[in-house]
Amino acid sequence: MDFWIMIEKMLEGFEKTCAIFFLTLLFSLPLGMIITLLSKSKLKIVSGITRFVISVLRGTPLMLQLIAVTYGPYYLFHISVSREKLIPVVIAFSINYAAYFAEIYRSGIESMPVGQYEAAAVLGYSKPKTFMKIILPQVIRRILPSATNEIVTLVKDTSLAFTVSYQEMFTIGKQIANSQTSFVPFVVAGIFYYVFNALVSFIMRRVEKSMSYYKM
Amino acid sequence: MNILNMSNIQKSFGDNNVLKDISIKVDKGEVVSVIGPSGSGKSTLLRCATLLETIDGGSFSYMGEEVCSVKNGKVVYDKNLNKFRHYFGLVFQNFNLFPHWSVLKNVIDAPISVQHRDKNEVKAEAVELLKKMGLEDKVKAYPGELSGGQQQRLSIVRALAMKPEILFFDEPTSALDPELTGEVLKVIKQLAEENMTMVIVTHEMEFARAVSDRVIFMDGGIIVEEGAPNEVFANTKNERTKQFLQNYSKNEY
Ligand SMILES: Nc1ncnc2c1ncn2[C@@H]1O[C@H](COP(=O)(O)OP(=O)(O)OP(=O)(O)O)[C@@H](O)[C@H]1O
Ligand SMILES: [Mg+2]
């Protein structure tokens, strides 16, 4: 196969890789916050169940969760597996990453000094206002480094979608490598991931910098 | 009229009976100092008065309106607690400024977003207050860029911007280097001269003596002695007060 045709095919796959990446971030970042708030609920049942779900999501392989979300409906309810696998893939990734982001948010929230809540209470801020205006902005700053780690991992983890044969870049690279008995597609895939991650790290560093205008 | 009236306040943490039966009245324009050994419940008293802790017994009111009382072992709050929060301000030992906001925003945000006052008016007042406290050139700075003394003066401005009827201070200079305490005490003294109603928990005995109309000596969760500064500091008949003040001057070398 011509080198450029291979690149073209892999670029098509790269679009899908990007789709997984951005959609997962879009859903998992807010979902993680909801999970955090549920896990801190005063209702013991709610927080207990939420913590259990988090531990399952973090304690089992993402690969397994991908297979469960993609093929589970077929085995359980005989719903045929749709050919468009983007939806189950994004659902599995979003839920899994939400669990990780939830833990990051939780540790960030718990690192906030209690004096911030007390000063806000005395000034008459309501609980939601205290959280949105005073706690959350500082939490975001505090968790940015660990969130960056998680996002960099996500770039690499998108390749796990090959387990359900979703046609993202790694899956396509693997197919070409098999049919051509060539190692080149893997090298190309590696370069793509590396460049993508370099870009992600660069952007995150800029964001971190833009938020470090004050001393904590 | 009493700005604050606390009667028979009790507060325990588990088995630890911290406030046993505390009654305090504060008149408009009065400056009351609260002194006492560590663990005697001074902070707890302020935290109860500022609704950061719930009381286990007694009742208290601001401006003659009851905020909270304990009836048959149950705490009953007024339905409109936020109204009461506008009556008081609290200056913390370690400032508790909002580090992600500029000096100006620290001062104006609550009056605007909590009290819904006019933005321009609040801003003008804030600038005026900052100037009065010697912070006019720090308006755009962040709390982390200020010295401890400046941070504490800022937190006083933040509290004043809410136009409270009464201001509580919990050891406002204890977190400061000795050379910075003076500038904060000076500001509090200035407020006293302007007839701001204040309750000040402090270990600065000289300051308490100079600035207050009344001194309260607390020990073991009760008010041991209460009176004019000269009575308490110079002519106390109470053995516990004497002992505390003696120990205190021993420590001040
Ligand atoms: N949140 C809490 N939980 C349990 N115990 C508490 C709590 N807050 C205070 N206490 C206890 O209450 C007692 C009085 O504490 P408080 O902070 O009111 O004393 P204080 O007079 O302000 O002392 P200091 O001069 O050291 O500031 C102490 O024994 C303290 O351990
Ligand atoms: Mg104290």
Side-chain angles (χ1 to χ4, degrees):
Chain A
M1 189 193 285
D2 184 72
F3 180 75
W4 293 111
I5 293 176
M6 179 192 78
I7 293 287
E8 206 182 307
K9 287 200 163 170
M10 289 187 70
L11 269 175
E12 272 168 37
F14 185 66
E15 268 174 38
K16 297 193 168 166
T17 297
C18 289
I20 301 174
F21 175 78
F22 286 111
L23 290 173
T24 299
L25 281 188
L26 181 70
F27 295 123
S28 63
L29 286 170
L31 184 60
M33 183 53 73
I34 294 169
I35 293 177
T36 303
L37 296 178
L38 288 177
S39 77
K40 294 180 84 66
S41 162
K42 284 203 182 74
L43 290 172
K44 285 262 152 47
I45 322 165
V46 176
S47 62
I49 291 175
T50 313
R51 278 174 201 185
F52 175 68
V53 170
I54 293 175
S55 74
V56 170
L57 289 169
R58 286 161 51 98
T60 58
L62 172 54
M63 212 185 265
L64 194 68
Q65 293 167 27
L66 270 166
I67 292 169
V69 175
T70 311
Y71 301 113
Y74 172 75
Y75 288 113
L76 289 176
F77 313 110
H78 294 281
I79 299 168
S80 60
V81 178
S82 114
R83 289 172 58 83
E84 180 48 65
K85 298 222 180 78
L86 179 63
I87 293 170
V89 165
V90 167
I91 290 176
F93 269 94
S94 298
I95 294 173
N96 180 273
Y97 269 80
Y100 283 92
F101 285 130
E103 284 297 285
I104 292 176
Y105 294 145
R106 190 183 56 79
S107 68
I109 290 173
E110 283 171 5
S111 78
M112 288 298 294
V114 64
Q116 293 286 301
Y117 292 95
E118 293 183 344
V122 172
L123 290 167
Y125 287 96
S126 64
K127 289 229 163 79
K129 257 190 191 158
T130 302
F131 185 74
M132 295 308 289
K133 298 188 78 162
I134 293 160
I135 303 301
L136 189 58
Q138 297 185 61
V139 166
I140 291 175
R141 154 99 186 261
R142 280 165 190 245
I143 63 167
L144 225 46
S146 28
T148 301
N149 281 341
E150 219 45 62
I151 293 170
V152 166
T153 307
L154 172 60
V155 170
K156 296 178 284 182
D157 272 359
T158 55
S159 63
L160 287 174
F162 89 90
T163 43
V164 294
S165 335
Y166 179 63
Q167 298 287 310
E168 48 70 54
M169 182 173 60
F170 186 76
T171 312
I172 290 181
K174 198 164 172 293
Q175 285 161 357
I176 300 174
N178 285 346
S179 65
Q180 309 280 313
T181 53
S182 155
F183 194 70
V184 177
F186 287 130
V187 175
V188 172
I191 292 171
F192 266 111
Y193 287 118
Y194 181 77
V195 171
F196 193 0
N197 255 335
L199 199 69
V200 168
S201 307
F202 174 75
I203 292 168
M204 291 307 287
R205 262 202 306 279
R206 291 295 288 269
V207 176
E208 269 175 52
K209 218 171 172 185
S210 78
M211 295 194 84
S212 50
Y213 60 90
Y214 67 91
K215 279 201 208 115
M216 282 194 283
Chain B
M1 186 188 31
N2 296 137
I3 301 273
L4 170 67
N5 188 351
M6 302 183 92
S7 38
N8 310 104
I9 299 295
Q10 295 174 32
K11 173 72 188 173
S12 311
F13 294 105
D15 296 339
N16 188 358
N17 217 338
V18 177
L19 301 180
K20 285 178 185 141
D21 182 25
I22 302 271
S23 298
I24 293 181
K25 284 184 182 150
V26 182
D27 275 333
K28 191 164 178 59
E30 223 186 345
V31 178
V32 177
S33 292
V34 181
I35 59 172
S38 182
S40 57
K42 306 179 298 293
S43 297
T44 306
L45 180 67
L46 292 199
R47 293 171 59 81
C48 288
T50 53
L51 300 169
L52 290 174
E53 301 281 1
T54 53
I55 55 175
D56 298 326
S59 65
F60 62 101
S61 55
Y62 283 98
M63 319 292 289
E65 301 168 67
E66 190 167 88
V67 191
C68 178
S69 63
V70 180
K71 290 184 184 108
N72 309 323
K74 278 191 79 175
V75 201
V76 185
Y77 284 103
D78 185 274
K79 284 182 193 68
N80 190 2
L81 274 187
N82 277 334
K83 179 181 76 186
F84 290 99
R85 289 211 168 85
H86 297 174
Y87 288 156
F88 58 75
L90 172 61
V91 173
F92 297 86
Q93 181 175 344
N94 49 355
F95 331 134
N96 292 334
L97 293 162
F98 304 126
H100 59 308
W101 286 349
S102 71
V103 165
L104 185 66
K105 175 113 168 147
N106 263 279
V107 180
I108 64 173
D109 192 82
I112 293 169
S113 76
V114 176
Q115 293 182 324
H116 305 291
R117 274 159 51 195
D118 178 70
K119 196 173 171 173
N120 291 323
E121 195 188 301
V122 169
K123 235 183 214 168
E125 283 175 16
V127 170
E128 204 52 45
L129 277 171
L130 288 166
K131 201 185 270 175
K132 189 170 135 190
M133 301 285 174
L135 294 167
E136 64 268 34
D137 49 346
K138 299 290 179 190
V139 169
K140 291 203 176 102
Y142 286 86
E145 297 157 17
L146 306 182
S147 73
Q150 289 169 333
Q151 291 191 45
Q152 193 57 301
R153 281 182 279 151
L154 170 57
S155 83
I156 294 172
V157 172
R158 179 177 70 175
L160 287 173
M162 302 291 283
K163 303 194 176 194
E165 297 290 338
I166 180 169
L167 202 48
F168 296 97
F169 294 80
D170 192 359
E171 301 193 28
T173 57
S174 293
L176 300 177
D177 294 337
E179 70 266 27
L180 298 177
T181 52
E183 60 185 71
V184 172
L185 296 181
K186 212 174 89 191
V187 159
I188 300 173
K189 203 164 182 181
Q190 195 183 340
L191 292 175
E193 279 155 15
E194 293 165 13
N195 289 322
M196 181 80 209
T197 313
M198 297 188 280
V199 175
I200 307 166
V201 171
T202 184
H203 289 297
E204 300 283 340
M205 298 305 160
E206 284 307 311
F207 170 74
R209 190 170 178 174
V211 83
S212 33
D213 301 310
R214 186 151 48 103
V215 178
I216 290 174
F217 171 56
M218 268 178 79
D219 193 8
I222 58 165
I223 293 178
V224 174
E225 191 176 356
E226 177 172 4
N230 277 333
E231 285 170 38
V232 176
F233 284 113
N235 300 312
T236 181
K237 306 257 165 352
N238 190 297
E239 277 309 311
R240 272 159 91 184
T241 315
K242 254 184 211 165
Q243 205 180 3
F244 170 73
L245 291 171
Q246 262 166 18
N247 277 341
Y248 219 85
S249 47
K250 252 184 261 161
N251 293 340
E252 276 179 84
Y253 35 83

